[in-house]
Amino acid sequence: MTKQVEIPSLYKKYEPYFDIGAAVNVKTIHTQKNLLCSQFNSFTAENEMKPELLQPEEGLYTFESADQIVTFARENEKNLRGHTLVWHNQTPNWFFEDKDGQVADKYTVLKRMRDHIHTVVTRYKKDIYCWDVVNEVINDEGPELLRKSKWLDIIGPEFIERAFEYAHEADPNALLFYNDYNESNPEKREKIYTLVKSLIEKGIPIHGIGLQAHWNLTQPSTDEIRAAIEKYASLGLKLQLTELDISAFTFENRRTDLLSPTAEILEQQADRYDRLFQLLREYKEVITAVTFWGAADDYTWLDNFPVAGRKNWPFLFDENHKPKDSFWKVIQF
Ligand code: GLA
C-alpha cells in the first residue's frame, strides 16, 4: 500500500492572515463534508439565507435549510457569515405589493424590510458574526450611482441606510458589510467608494466591504485588484473577498467542448491564484476573510453559466476534492 501524502490545511496555514471560507448548501455540507471541515474555517450559505428562501410569503418563515447550515457550522466550530438581507434578486414580489397586487407604499415596504431583518438577524445572533446587509445596489455602467430596483423605486436611496440601521438594532455585535461584484472595475470601484463613504459620513453602522471576486484567468488585473483594495481600505473599514472563484475561461472564451481542464488552463489558473494570494497576504491587516463561492470543482454555480453546456473548474480542489496545482501555489510560501 502506498502511503497517502498528508494534505496540509489551508485555513490553518492562513490563521495568521485571514479566514478561509467556502459557500455551502444543504447538499454540499454532506457531499463535501470532509473537505469543508479540514480546509475551511468559515462558511456562507450559498442561497439558504436569501429572502426568497427565508420568507417566501409574508410572515411565513422557512428556516429549515438555513438551520441545517447553522448547525453544521456550529457542530464543526466554524465561523459563519450571513448572506444576504437586502437584494434586488431572489426577493419575493410580496415585499413590494399591496393586497391588490399594486405597488405598496414606502412605509409598508420599510416595515417589511425591518421585520425581515429583525427576525432573521435575531434568530441567528449567536451563530452569525457578520452579515452582507445590502447586496449589489451599484449600477455597473453609466452616470447613475444606484441600480434601478423596487427597493429604490419605492423607498428611495435611504433604503440602504435603513437596512444597515435595522441590522444593527437587531444585533449590535454583528459586523455589517456592503457586498458587490465587478468591485475591481475602476468605474464601479469609484461608485462603491462614493456610496460607502456617504454612509460613513452619515454615521450609518457599516463595518466592511465585501469584494465578491467572481474573477477569471485574466480579469481583473492584479493592479486593478490592488487599486480596489487600497481605495476601499482608505475608508478605514475591514475588507473580505466574499465569493471568490477564478473561472477557467476568459470572458471571451465561449468553448463548450472540454470535459476536463487543459494543462494550459490549470497552469494559468495556478499562476493566477499564486499572484492573487501573494497580494492578499500583503493586505492581511485589512482583509479579514477570503471566502470561495464553493469548495471544489464538482460543484460550482459557473457550470452552465453564463455559457450553457459548459463545465467550469474555478477552485483549488478538483472534482474528486484533490488539491490542484493552484492549491499548492496558495499554500506553499
Ligand atoms: C451574486 C450573489 C450570490 C450568488 C452569486 C451567483 O454574487 O451575491 O449570492 O447568487 O451571485 O451564484
Side-chain angles (χ1 to χ4, degrees):
M1 230 173 71
T2 51
K3 194 168 174 293
Q4 292 259 318
V5 181
E6 184 77 27
I7 311 294
S9 163
L10 201 58
Y11 86 79
K12 288 186 183 151
K13 175 86 180 191
Y14 274 84
E15 260 162 5
Y17 295 87
F18 34 71
D19 280 0
I20 299 288
V24 301
N25 61 47
V26 286
K27 284 197 187 126
T28 60
I29 57 174
H30 301 289
T31 59
Q32 299 182 330
K33 182 168 193 249
N34 290 341
L35 183 74
L36 289 169
C37 292
S38 58
Q39 294 290 337
F40 302 87
N41 60 348
S42 175
F43 300 136
T44 307
E46 185 188 19
N47 287 300
E48 287 77 353
M49 294 184 189
K50 291 174 177 172
E52 71 175 4
L53 279 118
L54 288 185
Q55 200 184 174
E57 289 171 35
E58 185 161 21
L60 175 78
Y61 285 91
T62 45
F63 287 120
E64 293 77 10
S65 298
D67 284 357
Q68 287 179 38
I69 288 171
V70 172
T71 305
F72 180 71
R74 192 192 294 151
E75 284 177 349
N76 293 291
E77 297 177 18
K78 305 295 185 181
N79 287 331
L80 192 58
R81 306 188 75 255
H83 176 84
T84 179
L85 297 170
V86 172
W87 192 21
H88 62 280
N89 249 329
Q90 292 183 265
T91 300
N93 279 333
W94 68 256
F95 269 94
F96 312 106
E97 290 173 359
D98 67 15
K99 57 180 185 329
D100 304 318
Q102 304 298 309
V103 180
D105 66 87
K106 172 172 174 174
Y107 297 96
T108 302
V109 180
L110 271 173
K111 181 176 182 315
R112 289 170 175 167
M113 183 204 265
R114 184 172 186 275
D115 287 347
H116 181 82
I117 291 178
H118 267 250
T119 306
V120 172
V121 171
T122 304
R123 181 180 183 88
Y124 295 129
K125 218 171 174 165
K126 287 204 186 73
D127 294 286
I128 289 183
Y129 81 98
C130 79
W131 272 99
D132 292 329
V133 178
V134 173
N135 202 29
E136 306 181 345
V137 296
I138 294 292
N139 220 1
D140 279 284
E141 277 162 14
E144 295 293 329
L145 184 72
L146 299 180
R147 164 200 302 279
K148 212 176 144 27
S149 73
K150 292 184 182 166
W151 292 117
L152 180 63
D153 279 354
I154 301 173
I155 303 177
E158 68 168 279
F159 82 90
I160 299 167
E161 299 161 32
R162 297 296 86 76
F164 280 96
E165 287 171 354
Y166 298 155
H168 188 63
E169 283 166 12
D171 183 359
N173 294 320
L175 299 175
L176 306 181
F177 277 71
Y178 175 70
N179 192 47
D180 213 331
Y181 66 93
N182 283 352
E183 69 307 302
S184 300
N185 169 295
E187 187 183 342
K188 194 161 170 191
R189 174 192 77 210
E190 293 306 309
K191 290 185 184 175
I192 294 173
Y193 174 85
T194 301
L195 169 72
V196 175
K197 186 162 183 283
S198 79
L199 296 176
I200 295 170
E201 283 167 358
K202 287 179 188 157
I204 301 300
I206 176 170
H207 312 105
I209 299 179
L211 294 78
Q212 288 190 5
H214 290 295
W215 296 334
N216 67 38
L217 290 179
T218 56
Q219 285 172 324
S221 70
T222 312
D223 286 347
E224 284 170 335
I225 298 169
R226 183 189 294 279
I229 293 173
E230 291 272 351
K231 185 88 193 188
Y232 299 143
S234 74
L235 290 166
L237 301 185
K238 293 300 179 195
L239 308 183
Q240 296 195 357
L241 269 56
T242 51
E243 307 183 15
L244 173 62
D245 38 35
I246 303 285
S247 168
F249 301 95
T250 56
F251 184 72
E252 301 72 28
N253 190 333
R254 296 319 226 202
R255 70 186 290 185
T256 55
D257 57 316
L258 287 179
L259 297 177
S260 53
T262 62
E264 192 192 351
I265 289 176
L266 291 174
E267 198 180 312
Q268 245 185 304
Q269 194 177 43
D271 183 50
R272 178 87 161 132
Y273 268 119
D274 186 13
R275 281 180 289 124
L276 174 61
F277 274 77
Q278 276 180 38
L279 175 71
L280 299 177
R281 290 193 299 271
E282 274 185 53
Y283 289 93
K284 67 174 180 164
E285 305 306 330
V286 282
I287 296 176
T288 56
V290 173
T291 297
F292 292 82
W293 206 241
D297 289 344
D298 53 320
Y299 173 72
T300 164
W301 73 291
L302 292 170
D303 287 344
N304 299 308
F305 182 85
V307 177
R310 184 178 76 180
K311 165 106 192 94
N312 211 320
W313 305 273
F315 298 123
L316 303 180
F317 299 93
D318 71 14
E319 289 172 79
N320 299 311
H321 304 179
K322 298 280 175 282
K324 295 159 67 176
D325 286 348
S326 294
F327 170 84
W328 295 111
K329 293 283 191 199
V330 168
I331 206 164
Q332 286 171 343
F333 59 91

